[in-house]
Amino acid sequence: MTKFLKFAAIAIGYLPFLALAQDAPFTCSTHGLQHLAPFLAGHPERLAEIEASEAQLEHFTEQFGATHDARGGGSPIVIPVVFHIIHDNGLENIGDAQVRDAVRIMNEDFNKLNADWPNVKEEFLPIVADADIVFRLAGYDPNGNCTTGITRTVSELTNDGGQDMKDLINWPRSQYLNIWVAASAQGAAGYSMYPGSVDGAWGEAADGIVILHNYVGSIGTGDVSRSRALTHEVGHYLNLRHCWGNSNEPGLSSNCGMSDNVSDTPPTEGWTSCNRNGATCGSPLDNVENFMEYSYCSKMFTNGQKTRMVAALNSNTADRNNLWTASNLAATGTQDIQPLCAAAFISDRRVVCAGNTISFTDESYHGVVTRDWNFTGGEPAVSTDAAPVITYNVPGVYPVSLTVGNGQTTEESTVINYITVLPNPGVPSPYVQDLEGETTLDPAEWVLNNVDNDAGTFQLNTTAGYSGSHSIRMKNYNAPAGRLDELMSASIDMSQDSTVLFSFRYAFARRTASNDDILRVYVSNNCGETWTLRKQLRGNGDLPTVPDQNSAFTPSNAAQWEECVITNITAAYCVSDFRFKFWFTGDGGNDLWIDDININSGAVGVGELSATQAPEVLVLPNPATQQATVQVMLGKAGATLVELVDPTGRTVQVIANERMNVGEYRWQLPVERMNAGLYFIRLQQDGLRRVVRFTKQ
C-alpha cells in the first residue's frame, strides 16, 4: 500500500456487493488523501496544516483523557444531523422512514441501547460504553426554515459519490453533521473524514460522511446486516481509528506494531470474521465485536473509545465543539423539545376506485402528540390515528386535512383535490376519445403524474389532431433527458366483454438519430394498483412517424400520424375497473402527439384463431371525422361480404365481396365523403353475420 502520510487523513469503508451475509467481511479502508485531491492541488502547504491539526487534536485528546472519563454535566451530547439524498430517481432515493431507522440505530449503538450488547464476550462486558451521544435530525435549515433534516437533490453525480457530489449541497459543518446518501461512494460502502484532515476552512466542503443507500438503516434498501456501517463511519467522524490502527488491511501481523490510541482495546491484527475467541498480537483476547472492527458482529464501543469521541467533540478541531452548544441546538431546531413547524402527510395512493381503501401516514415534524384528520368523502370522515385507513365509496375528488399539536402549538395542512375516487364500474365500453370539444384534460377522466413537476408534460392541444384539431401533446422539445411523465385514464367497464382491443394514433419526431425517447402503454385490471406493460415504442425503433426535425414538431397532416393497435390484452382485463396508462421518458427528442384513443371488445390474435370462431369486426377510430379503418379478423376461410350500410339497411358501399382466408383484413372508409350520422359495418360469411355501429361526426 502506498503511504501518503504517517497519519490517516480519511477513513473509508467498503464492502463487496455480494458480501451481504452476517459473517461477510466488512472492510473500511484508509485511502490516503485521494478525496481531498481537489483541495490539495496547488496547495502543498495544506499537507503540513493537516499534519499539525492531527497532532494538535491528538495532544488535546491525551490531556482530555487524563482528566475525563466523559463530559460532565449529566446530559447527553446532541449532534444535529442532515441527510442529503443525492439521487437520479433510482433506488438510492430512499424514503424518510429508512433515514429515521438509520438514526434510531445510531442512537441505540452510541447509547448502549442496542439489544445485542449484552451478548458481548463476557471479558468485555464491564467496558461496554454508553457514549451518551444523541443524533437528531435537524428541525431548521441554515436559513431558519423548517426541515425534516432530509434533503433531496436529483443529480447523476449520485453515481460518482465524490467531492463534486458533495458540492451540490453542503450545510455548515459547525452546525450539522452532513451525511450524503448516494448510489456510489467511489467503490466503497461509505467514507468519512477525520476531524484533523479537514480542520482548515478549505476542508469544510469535504467534511462529513458519504454512504451507499443500501447501508442506511435496516429497512427499505437497507438490511440489518449492513446497518452498522453508518455507526462505524460516525466513529471515524469522531476521530476513532480501527481497532488495529491506521491501516486498511486487517489480518496482517504488521498491524501489531500499530495502535488505535485507545487504552482498553487490545492490540490486534484486525478481523474480517466473527471469531469471538480470536487472539492476536500477544493479547489474551481481541475485541472482535467492536464497532470499529470489520467482523460483522459489531455490538460495542469501549469506555476508552467513548473518551476519545467526547474529546473530539470538546475540541475546536473542525468545529466539532460548536455542534452541541445550546445556541446551535436552538438554531438547528434540535433541542429536547423540537419545534413543531409543519403538518404534513402522505398516502399509499391518491387514486382509487369506489369501495377501495387508502392508508395515510402523518409525516409532520417535530414532536407530534395529537392529530385531527378530516377526510371529506371518506369513511370514517375523522380520525386521531397516526396512520388511519380510510374507505372511499362515492366517486369524486376530495380534500384531506390534518391538524397536529405537540402540547404547546398546533400546525394545520389542507390539500385540495388530494384524493380522486373513480367510479366502479367505470364508463361503459366501447371507450372512444377523440378529444374534440375538450378544453383541458379533465381530472375526472385523466390522472397526470408529472414526476419532475415541470411545465413539459402531457397537455391538451387544440391546434392539431389526427381526426380534428384536438389531441394530447407531450411537451418534450428542449426537455432534459431522463424526465418521466405518466397519463392515466379513469376506470372503464370492460366486464361485459371477452377480450380488449386498444388502439390510438400517435405522431413523433426525433431531433437527432441518437434520441431514444420511449412511449409505453400499460393496462391495469385492479383500478391502477398494479400495471402491466402491453406496448413499447422507441425513438430508435417505431416511435418516429416523420424524419428528424430540429424545430419543435407539430403534425400538419394525417400522413404524419401512425396507428398503434394493441391486441395482447387478455380476458383477465375484462373487468369493471379497467384502466390504461401512457408512460413517457424523454431522451432529448421532440414533442409526442396522441389522438383517437379507442378501446373495444377486441378479437384474439390471428395465431389464436380456430376454425370454429366467428368473425370479429372493429372500426377505429369510432366515431371518426376524416378517416377510419375497418378491421376484420376471420376465424375460417369462405365467401365473405363486408358492407357499409345506413340505419335503414341500405347498402352505402360494398367494402369487400370475395373468398377470404383465415387472418386479419383492413380497409379504409371514405369518411370525408360521408354525411354525419349513424352507420353500420355488416359482415356476412357462411350464414354468420356481424354488425358494428359506426358514427361519422
Side-chain angles (χ1 to χ4, degrees), residues 472-486:
I472 295 171
R473 176 190 182 190
M474 174 65 223
K475 295 186 67 176
N476 184 51
Y477 181 75
N478 275 342
R483 50 169 309 175
L484 174 63
D485 294 88
E486 296 177 315

Side-chain angles (χ1 to χ4, degrees), residues 456-534:
T457 188
F458 289 104
Q459 302 173 3
L460 182 72
N461 183 274
T462 60
T463 62
Y466 175 77
S467 59
S469 59
H470 290 57
S471 61
I472 295 171
R473 176 190 182 190
M474 174 65 223
K475 295 186 67 176
N476 184 51
Y477 181 75
N478 275 342
R483 50 169 309 175
L484 174 63
D485 294 88
E486 296 177 315
L487 183 64
M488 293 161 277
S489 75
S491 52
I492 304 168
D493 185 5
M494 303 296 297
S495 61
Q496 302 303 309
D497 301 301
S498 57
T499 53
V500 181
L501 184 72
F502 187 157
S503 71
F504 63 95
R505 300 279 180 171
Y506 67 95
F508 176 76
R510 299 179 305 188
R511 297 182 64 191
T512 69
S514 63
N515 300 142
D516 190 21
D517 307 73
I518 301 175
L519 173 65
R520 293 175 179 169
V521 180
Y522 291 84
V523 295
S524 172
N525 61 1
N526 52 21
C527 196
E529 289 189 35
T530 58
W531 297 92
T532 302
L533 178 64
R534 279 295 173 258

Side-chain angles (χ1 to χ4, degrees), residues 73 101 130 177-178 273 324 327 366 471 486 601 654:
D101 186 62
D130 174 359
L177 162 56
N178 287 278
S273 63
W324 49 278
S327 59
H366 302 270
S471 61
E486 296 177 315
S601 176
V654 175

